[in-house]
Amino acid sequence: MTQLTFPKLHCPLPSQINKYVDAMGDYSLEWVSRFNLLAKESTYRRFSKSKFFLLAARAYPNCPLEELKIGNDWLSWVFIWDDLCDLSELKTQPEALKVYHKRFLKILNGAELTSNDVPLTHALYDLRQRTVQRASKEWFRHFLLCFEEYFQGCVEEAAVRAQNIVPDVDTYMMIRRASVGGNLFLTVSEFCNNFMLSDFLRNHDFVDKLKLMTINVLAWCNDVFSASREMASGDVHNIVLVLHYQQQLSLETALERAVIMHDEEMESLISLEASIPVFGNKLDTELAQYISIMHTWIRGNLDWYSYTDRYQSVEMLEPVKY
């Protein structure tokens, strides 16, 4: 697999890590083992080297242990499903993905397990039960909408692959903002911090802009670090590869352009935050907390790439059966 040289990404935000991080390494592996999620010993070793628990500990640095465990397990579940969507034969089968997504959403909406359900569905049921015990119904309804958005992004990526085309930048970003799971995991951050953004702020144009920029930064950061892996697997859902093919740039130049896009969006986000409207004491405090949630995800995501081996090969986190 060709490895690109990664330049430093601009991020003027402080690094943080949860005080329970030392408890998370063994726990993270124990949870996927309990549900027999991975196919073989080598896949469990790959899971361990991916160090998703470090991403959770850095993205959710201030939350209690039980919320951190749940946040970590949502990450593990999504990363395993992501690999199936990106690296298995399902990657070009949007209709097959819809069948799985329909069942997953039924489970998330409270359906009971059956003898036909695969291990990933059993793990999802466990996560749903543990989450609803600690979350409000209002928050969980919003969380379900975010999951639907993420699943739709996975389907749209598969549809593009099935057509064997390279999307233009605008089409790519529209799909990528969904498939990267940014909305999903910012919402998990609310849960982990025992916080919920009010409808007023969630639907406000200013917050929409902040969230859009945050998701762009998260997506382009991931794309810079995952470009080699996705190129080796024949995928094109990466801003580096879209620029490479659509604008006929060398890979090195496309990577440089992606880094510039990331760094400029990071600066635009910071600049926008300097012009926060005044809503009143309660809403101002609430918005400050939400901005802190976005910041910890941006910084935690970037820091994680220094520790994970996830993007060093095209081997997927293969489940036992799907």
Side-chain angles (χ1 to χ4, degrees):
M1 187 172 83
T2 302
Q3 287 290 345
L4 298 170
T5 300
F6 303 119
K8 184 177 180 181
L9 295 180
H10 174 59
C11 184
L13 306 173
S15 296
Q16 300 181 66
I17 194 163
N18 195 288
K19 64 182 180 181
Y20 297 112
V21 61
D22 291 341
M24 293 305 297
D26 289 343
Y27 167 79
S28 181
L29 186 60
E30 185 276 329
W31 186 77
V32 298
S33 301
R34 188 193 322 161
F35 290 96
N36 194 31
L37 292 186
L38 302 177
K40 49 192 175 182
E41 184 62 32
S42 63
T43 312
Y44 279 99
R45 287 196 297 271
R46 174 158 175 69
F47 179 90
S48 294
K49 291 179 180 179
S50 295
K51 297 182 180 178
F52 299 126
F53 75 94
L54 280 181
L55 176 56
R58 291 182 177 277
Y60 313 130
N62 302 309
C63 71
L65 179 58
E66 289 307 311
E67 281 78 0
L68 180 61
K69 287 180 177 180
I70 293 171
N72 173 86
D73 296 342
W74 280 118
L75 278 172
S76 296
W77 192 96
V78 169
F79 273 117
I80 292 170
W81 183 245
D82 251 6
D83 274 9
L84 277 171
C85 293
D86 293 347
L87 298 173
S88 76
E89 62 265 28
L90 290 174
K91 69 181 181 180
T92 56
Q93 298 176 10
E95 296 305 315
L97 287 180
K98 289 179 183 179
V99 174
Y100 283 102
H101 292 164
K102 183 178 180 180
R103 180 58 184 158
F104 293 155
L105 288 170
K106 283 184 177 181
I107 290 293
L108 288 171
N109 276 287
E112 294 298 322
L113 292 166
T114 73
S115 58
N116 294 324
D117 281 317
V118 297
L120 269 172
T121 310
H122 284 259
L124 190 64
Y125 180 87
D126 170 79
L127 265 174
R128 194 257 182 200
Q129 297 302 103
R130 291 159 58 207
T131 302
V132 296
Q133 288 175 2
R134 292 173 175 268
S136 70
K137 291 181 179 179
E138 185 181 359
W139 176 88
F140 197 76
R141 280 195 297 269
H142 177 68
F143 179 63
L144 290 178
L145 293 176
C146 295
F147 237 112
E148 290 177 8
E149 177 190 64
Y150 162 68
F151 283 152
Q152 182 61 30
C154 296
V155 169
E156 290 177 1
E157 284 190 348
V160 170
R161 294 190 197 99
Q163 296 174 67
N164 197 29
I165 60 174
V166 179
D168 59 54
V169 172
D170 289 341
T171 301
Y172 165 73
M173 279 312 304
M174 181 180 66
I175 298 172
R176 182 63 170 144
R177 290 185 187 108
S179 69
V180 76
N183 268 330
L184 180 64
F185 285 111
L186 288 175
T187 304
V188 172
S189 286
E190 293 181 36
F191 167 84
C192 287
N193 288 281
N194 296 309
F195 164 80
M196 189 176 77
L197 194 65
S198 64
D199 287 343
F200 174 81
L201 288 179
R202 201 182 297 283
N203 297 318
H204 198 282
D205 288 345
F206 185 82
V207 176
D208 277 345
K209 291 177 183 177
L210 290 176
K211 191 186 300 182
L212 177 66
M213 289 180 176
T214 296
I215 292 171
N216 285 344
V217 169
L218 291 172
W220 294 335
C221 176
N222 176 266
D223 285 359
V224 164
F225 287 99
S226 65
S228 296
R229 183 185 198 230
E230 281 154 0
M231 182 171 58
S233 70
D235 201 357
V236 295
H237 288 98
N238 183 297
I239 192 60
V240 176
L241 302 181
V242 169
L243 292 171
H244 169 61
Y245 290 114
Q246 287 284 8
Q247 300 184 14
Q248 298 184 330
L249 303 175
S250 69
L251 283 170
E252 290 75 14
T253 300
L255 179 63
E256 290 171 2
R257 292 273 182 92
V259 170
I260 291 170
M261 289 172 64
H262 171 279
D263 291 354
E264 289 181 347
E265 195 76 343
M266 185 74 252
E267 278 303 302
S268 295
L269 176 63
I270 298 299
S271 296
L272 182 61
E273 289 172 7
S275 61
I276 294 175
V278 175
F279 296 108
N281 288 342
K282 183 178 179 181
L283 289 174
D284 290 348
T285 300
E286 185 182 322
L287 180 55
Q289 186 168 354
Y290 192 64
I291 289 173
S292 175
I293 280 172
M294 291 190 284
H295 283 185
T296 55
W297 245 108
I298 289 171
R299 182 77 241 186
N301 183 57
L302 177 59
D303 287 346
W304 174 61
Y305 292 106
S306 299
Y307 300 96
T308 184
D309 284 346
R310 174 169 170 77
Y311 301 103
Q312 304 307 309
S313 79
V314 295
E315 181 186 355
M316 73 172 182
L317 296 173
E318 180 185 357
V320 171
K321 179 183 177 183
Y322 60 91

